[in-house]
Amino acid sequence: MKHILSSEQYNRESLEELFTLADKIRNNMKEYSHKLDDKIIAIMFYEPSTRTRLSFETAALKLGAKIITTENAREFSSAAKGETIQDTVKVIAGYADAMVIRHSSDTSAVEAASVEKIPILNAGAGKGEHPTQALLDMYTIKHKKGKIDGVKVAILGDLLYGRTIHSLIKLLSLYDNVEIYGLSKEAFMLPQEYIDMLKEKGIEYKKCNSFDELPKDIDVIYHTRIQAERFEGDFGKEEFIINKEVLDRFSEHTILMHPLPRVIEISTDVDDDPRACYFEQAHNGLYIRMALLLQVLDRA
Ligand code: CP
């Protein structure tokens, strides 16, 4: 059974295969509009979402599938009565052909997949992983930069709880001569296990303390929101805010990415800058998620 649980299940070949399929879909949506006519996709979100839930729902609908969905499964599914994720999946497997899940637990998607009844797609699991976001991020980098080998990427914001960051750096580490720079408040530094993982793959993680320490010709600046819902206490606001003046310190070829939603970390005065590509990035999620649904349901 095919599941999408972690970036760790990908290699360069499977990424290329996914990107090629996403491109084909993007260039000929009509050809794919009945591929999943006989399928039902369950969309179970135990945490808030705009992009991931609605792009998965749109992806399913554009492929001809039907959806059963709960936008607030934490409150309105039987999880509120104490039902386990495994029992929920066993029941949903009687109704649907695949299930997309977002949950506050790092192990939620793996637990759901352990039932082995229907394909599970991890749409964000606690502070652990958000692989489908990272896949669309890599697809966006490939489209914007033309290649991934040799890219210099700065990761900013919440490197501790940011699941998109955790999934993204695992995928970046598959490529040659990638450089990764980290810029965050002390409270939100990248955990050592990820620094060690990068080192094992031959990537020296460069921790920075200011924008001045990032290369001017950096290819990608990837900012993220402080994930305030994941911790108690007050660690203050983001210090490293990208506005026009900051962005103009970097090359005209630098691209500015963000998984969204943003709070204050990217000022709206850069939204019209050609380097800002976070809305295009979010749009790319549709093609990647259509491709993923086709792959897990063996209709690619
Ligand atoms: N990037 C992302 O996961 O956004 P949502 O929380 O809106 O799904």
Side-chain angles (χ1 to χ4, degrees), residues 101-131:
I101 179 171
R102 167 170 291 189
H103 197 284
S104 58
S105 161
D106 292 13
T107 55
S108 51
V110 172
E111 285 169 37
S114 71
V115 174
E116 286 295 341
K117 291 263 189 208
I118 44 173
I120 300 295
L121 298 102
N122 177 1
K127 64 179 185 331
E129 284 225 36
H130 192 349

Side-chain angles (χ1 to χ4, degrees), residues 106 126-128 155-163 165-166 184-194 205 224-225 227 230-231 235:
D106 292 13
K127 64 179 185 331
I155 50 175
L156 275 69
D158 189 343
L159 312 182
L160 175 59
Y161 297 105
R163 57 194 176 196
I165 292 280
H166 302 158
S184 72
K185 292 175 66 151
E186 286 297 305
F188 300 103
M189 288 191 308
L190 190 66
Q192 190 61 40
E193 65 186 277
Y194 291 102
Y205 175 70
T224 57
R225 168 184 71 90
Q227 308 278 299
R230 306 244 174 264
F231 56 87
F235 294 96

Side-chain angles (χ1 to χ4, degrees), residues 48-53 102 130 133 259-261:
S49 168
T50 297
R51 277 145 292 276
T52 314
R53 185 169 73 84
R102 167 170 291 189
H130 192 349
Q133 175 70 46
L260 302 176

Side-chain angles (χ1 to χ4, degrees), residues 7 10 15 131 134-135 138 167-175:
S7 288
Y10 283 88
L15 282 177
L135 292 167
M138 294 293 283
S167 290
L168 178 63
I169 60 177
K170 286 178 186 173
L171 294 181
L172 284 169
S173 74
L174 297 172
Y175 289 80

